[in-house]
Amino acid sequence: DPSMAGYVPVERNYHLCRRRRWIRRRGRDMSSKKLKKKEEKMAKLLEKAKEGWEYSRLFSTKFHSSEQKIDLVRRRRWHRKLVASGAASAPVFFFQDKDEDDIHHQVTPRMFMSFKEPHRYQLRVYLYQARNIRSSDQSGLSDPYCYVSFSRETQKSIMLEATIMPTWDQTLIFDDVELYGDPKVVAAVPPDVRVELYDYDTIGKDEFLGRSVIKPHIRLDNRNAPRLDWYPIKFFDKDAGE
């Protein structure tokens, strides 16, 4: 009965209704205006980075690379990049005193990793259901919603009222996620997707319910679609559902 509960993909004996859900393939529009603006903004930042200027309100405060209206001072900071003399070169420097034969001192320089350009990905987060989450209201229930964070972007799910077994059945799409490095390496060791649950309160600050850290499934082709899975929710060091 759709008025009693939500739809599920598995048929049960007590089900009275059914519906057909169409699956549509999504693709990225590489000619979109949003993507062009993002590329132009990145090109301007790279051009400013070549000049080496950093900005701040005062010399005693923290400097940053992007200029703001409240900035009053600037400084130029040069980064020297070390180039190895050979494939077998050690990443440390050894020093030897004139009067001693033993090498007793070593200094590790700053390390830099350079990439020519990032690769763009599309992340799809399917929030279907959670179970046994913490109750924060006096009724023994919660009004949960989620913040999903990946790379430098964050999205928010819908809020459900009075439940500790929420069924969002919602898909969050992160378009044009830029990741540096070889795609095969990124697929083997992908960045984490962090999901934080909060309880909505009409008065006061929303209460934190727990956090789940998820390893995404990266597909370099359109084969082997990932299946839904349960991930543990932690409230600091305690279990707070799935």
Side-chain angles (χ1 to χ4, degrees), residues 51-64:
E51 298 179 0
W53 288 110
E54 294 181 339
Y55 305 90
S56 180
R57 295 182 61 185
L58 301 171
F59 281 107
S60 58
T61 58
K62 188 176 181 180
F63 282 81
H64 44 267

Side-chain angles (χ1 to χ4, degrees), residues 75-120:
R75 70 179 182 184
R76 176 167 283 179
R77 184 178 181 186
W78 298 103
H79 291 277
R80 295 183 178 180
K81 185 176 180 181
L82 299 176
V83 180
S85 58
S89 300
V92 294
F93 293 115
F94 295 97
F95 293 91
Q96 184 177 6
D97 292 341
K98 297 181 179 180
D99 299 335
E100 298 182 5
D101 296 333
D102 297 333
I103 298 175
H104 67 282
H105 194 103
Q106 64 180 15
V107 176
T108 304
R110 296 181 64 183
M111 298 297 175
F112 294 90
M113 184 175 292
S114 301
F115 298 96
K116 293 183 178 179
E117 59 182 9
H119 295 275
R120 291 186 174 89

Side-chain angles (χ1 to χ4, degrees), residues 212-217 227-233 241-242:
S212 182
V213 181
I214 302 170
K215 286 291 184 183
H217 300 276
R227 302 181 63 181
L228 293 178
D229 200 358
W230 293 102
Y231 297 93
I233 301 174
E242 294 180 302

Side-chain angles (χ1 to χ4, degrees), residues 34 40 65 137 165 171 175 177 225:
K34 182 179 178 182
E40 291 176 358
S65 58
D137 297 338
M165 308 281 285
T171 302
D175 283 319
V177 179

Side-chain angles (χ1 to χ4, degrees), residues 153-194:
E153 301 182 16
T154 300
Q155 294 191 25
K156 182 182 178 181
S157 72
I158 59 176
M159 187 270 293
L160 301 179
E161 297 181 353
T163 179
I164 58 173
M165 308 281 285
T167 302
W168 291 283
D169 196 9
Q170 183 181 6
T171 302
L172 302 178
I173 300 178
F174 295 75
D175 283 319
D176 299 323
V177 179
E178 294 182 349
L179 298 178
Y180 290 85
D182 188 355
K184 294 182 179 179
V185 177
V186 175
V189 190
D192 293 332
V193 178
R194 297 183 179 272

Side-chain angles (χ1 to χ4, degrees), residues 198-237:
Y198 287 87
D199 172 57
Y200 175 77
D201 292 328
T202 55
I203 301 176
K205 189 177 180 181
D206 296 348
E207 186 174 349
F208 177 66
L209 298 178
R211 179 185 294 108
S212 182
V213 181
I214 302 170
K215 286 291 184 183
H217 300 276
I218 295 185
R219 293 184 295 157
L220 302 179
D221 51 24
N222 292 326
R223 302 177 183 176
N224 301 326
R227 302 181 63 181
L228 293 178
D229 200 358
W230 293 102
Y231 297 93
I233 301 174
K234 293 290 185 180
F235 182 74
F236 299 101
D237 296 334

